[in-house]
């Protein structure tokens, strides 16, 4: 049940590249966090240069105007190892498929709980699903 927001500077990526970025993010989520293939909710935001700010070298990472901010809200419970392998795999995948510099892949994971989600109809579906299946364990939840 991750919700992904990707922000980038306008005119840095075309539609085909954005589609590949989306697919790469989803592939990494499926592989590292066991997210179901149909649990697919992403939005992309293009920003004008005057509204897109970043440090060119914070923590000795040399960023360019091709920077992607990838903000992922997801259920808590992933291990440090899952997260770090996710970051590495996603940067590698984006580098290989879209030629994005690894230095320009900026990822933020924000954990929350089942009661923080409504997928429509004013219902907390994940709470209903959790009750029907019994208690979910953090490492296999979405």
């Amino acid at each position: 049940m991750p919700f992904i927001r990707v922000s980038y500077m306008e005119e840095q990526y075309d539609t085909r590249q954005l589609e590949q970025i989306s697919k790469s993010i989803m592939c990494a989520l499926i592989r590292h966090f066991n997210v179901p293939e149909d649990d697919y909710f992403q939005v992309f935001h293009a920003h004008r240069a005057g509204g897109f700010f970043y440090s060119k070298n914070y923590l000795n990472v040399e960023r360019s105007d091709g920077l992607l901010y990838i903000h992922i809200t997801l259920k808590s419970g992933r291990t440090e190892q899952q997260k770090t392998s996710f970051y590495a795999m996603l940067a590698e995948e984006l580098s290989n498929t879209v030629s994005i510099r690894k230095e320009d892949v900026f990822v933020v994971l924000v954990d929350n709980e089942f009661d923080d989600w409504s997928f429509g109809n004013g219902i907390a579906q994940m709470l209903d699903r959790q009750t029907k299946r019994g208690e979910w364990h953090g490492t296999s939840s979405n």
Side-chain angles (χ1 to χ4, degrees), residues 1-118:
M1 60 191 197
F3 179 67
I4 295 93
R5 291 183 177 273
V6 179
S7 296
Y8 59 96
M9 194 178 308
E10 67 182 358
E11 299 182 16
Q12 293 295 310
Y13 301 101
D14 61 32
T15 301
R16 182 195 59 75
Q17 289 171 309
L18 294 174
E19 288 174 5
Q20 188 57 54
I21 291 166
S22 173
K23 289 177 185 177
S24 295
I25 293 169
M26 196 63 197
C27 179
L29 288 168
I30 291 167
R31 183 176 299 156
H32 291 279
F33 297 155
N34 301 314
V35 171
E37 288 183 30
D38 64 343
D39 192 350
Y40 184 59
F41 300 95
Q42 301 181 6
V43 291
F44 284 69
H45 305 276
H47 299 270
R48 293 183 182 173
F52 191 84
F53 305 97
Y54 61 94
S55 170
K56 296 245 184 215
N57 59 2
Y58 182 67
L59 298 176
N60 297 315
V61 178
E62 299 297 324
R63 294 170 195 83
S64 75
D65 286 347
L67 179 65
L68 290 175
Y69 287 128
I70 302 170
H71 182 153
I72 302 172
T73 303
L74 71 167
K75 172 67 175 78
S76 65
R78 276 45 182 230
T79 66
E80 181 179 306
Q81 202 286 320
Q82 280 179 296
K83 291 176 182 182
T84 56
S85 64
F86 172 80
Y87 302 144
M89 185 262 187
L90 181 57
E92 183 71 28
E93 179 74 14
L94 290 172
S95 175
N96 291 336
T97 60
V98 193
S99 299
I100 296 173
R101 298 170 63 251
K102 291 180 186 180
E103 296 89 345
D104 289 330
V105 180
F106 184 111
V107 181
V108 177
L109 298 178
V110 179
D111 294 340
N112 63 21
E113 300 304 323
F114 290 131
D115 60 348
D116 295 315
W117 296 87
S118 173

